[in-house]
Amino acid sequence: MKLGLVGIGAIARKQHLPVIAAHPAVELVAAASHQGTVDGIPNYPTLEAMLEAEPEVEAVTLCVPPAARYAAARTAIANGRHVFLEKPPGTTVAEITDLAAQAEAAGVTLFASWHSRYAAAVEPLRDALAGARIRSVHVPWREDVRVYHPGQRWIWEVGGFGVFDPGINAFSILTHALPRPFRLTRSVLSYPSNCAQPIAAELTFLNSEDVPITCDFSFDQPEPATWEIHVETDGPRYVLSGGGKRLTRDGSVLVDAPDAEYRALYDIFVDLVAKGASDVDLAPLMHVADAFLYAEQRTVGPFSE
């Protein structure tokens, strides 16, 4: 599959470029970005310029900020290209629903990727919980935005998601691993006085059996980051850590594996294109939308790098 990569920023360089280079079924033939280039292939300032100059491009991966993804995806779909959306797939549920309809009408693949869902320990956790009686779930998901998004002002602007940029990764795991859907009952969002997006979130959910699920998201925790899911059952206690790479049961390690999330995503994308199918799961984005809709808002001190 001949691929064009759009948006050459931190996530493209850290994850997409090395995985694409090593993937036997994907060839990167062009890139488009306002802020960076990729050596050894043609580079263009815009997606439109790339598609016009590179008719062999069959698919595009969009690593631009969320607010720009709808327009870019619409352009790619209108030009008959398959689309891989970095997470979060866009800024609203409605625009991704619209893109899914456009992709279906055009006969192309749309893949809303959730990389954390494919971490090595997530599926084993899902299997362990399938027949378990869950008592409670607690999700501390905290990191330092200065480390993971240095100087990226877009993340604090409207459509930038703030702390939900990492927090949505937790939702992508929870919506896959927990055996029952869950609903929001409380949301407290803390906004820096100089930002349009929250730096912290305290969330409470209940499932249909009234099992409490609490989330503690922060974008202001010094290193090391904490990306964990704690599940208390009638039997064992499970802890998923490292963003999904490690799973313990009552303190004993069940899984501890290296990062292979993005290789799995490209395997899925290639398979979807071959089958003429799409994969657009909106559940993680839905929970983010609910958190904003139902929020008690608090103002905290200004954010600074």
Side-chain angles (χ1 to χ4, degrees), residues 15-231:
Q15 297 288 357
H16 291 267
L17 286 174
V19 168
I20 293 167
H23 202 290
V26 180
E27 179 187 1
L28 185 64
V29 298
S33 181
H34 296 301
Q35 60 182 359
T37 58
V38 179
D39 293 340
I41 59 172
N43 290 269
Y44 299 91
T46 66
L47 167 63
E48 291 82 358
M50 182 184 76
L51 294 180
E52 182 176 356
E54 304 287 342
E56 68 175 346
V57 169
E58 302 168 68
V60 297
T61 295
L62 300 182
C63 295
V64 294
R69 288 195 192 136
Y70 175 82
R74 182 176 64 183
T75 295
I77 291 168
N79 282 274
R81 269 63 169 204
H82 309 291
V83 177
F84 178 130
L85 296 168
E86 242 297 346
K87 69 87 197 172
T91 55
T92 69
V93 173
E95 69 183 21
I96 308 307
T97 302
D98 183 18
L99 288 176
Q102 292 180 38
E104 183 176 7
V108 300
T109 291
L110 181 66
F111 180 34
S113 69
W114 300 108
H115 67 84
S116 292
R117 188 174 282 179
Y118 299 99
V122 173
E123 204 63 30
L125 176 64
R126 175 186 168 97
D127 292 342
L129 298 180
R133 183 170 180 81
I134 299 171
R135 291 299 188 184
S136 67
V137 180
H138 179 58
V139 186
W141 208 271
R142 303 188 293 261
E143 64 184 59
D144 188 349
V145 65
R146 301 163 189 84
V147 173
Y148 295 93
H149 296 277
Q152 296 180 28
R153 191 63 200 174
W154 62 264
I155 209 161
W156 299 114
E157 298 170 352
V158 173
F161 281 70
V163 74
F164 287 105
D165 182 82
I168 203 169
N169 293 335
F171 288 152
S172 74
I173 295 173
L174 290 171
T175 53
H176 182 70
L178 296 183
R180 294 178 180 272
F182 50 92
R183 67 193 188 282
L184 183 71
T185 60
R186 180 175 181 265
S187 172
V188 179
L189 306 184
S190 297
Y191 287 77
S193 58
N194 59 340
C195 297
Q197 296 296 331
I199 196 169
E202 301 171 29
L203 308 168
T204 302
F205 302 85
L206 294 173
N207 69 10
S208 58
E209 294 183 335
D210 290 334
V211 172
I213 302 162
T214 56
C215 297
D216 174 14
F217 295 166
S218 176
F219 234 168
D220 201 27
Q221 174 176 285
E223 287 284 270
T226 302
W227 300 314
E228 298 177 351
I229 296 175
H230 300 245
V231 184

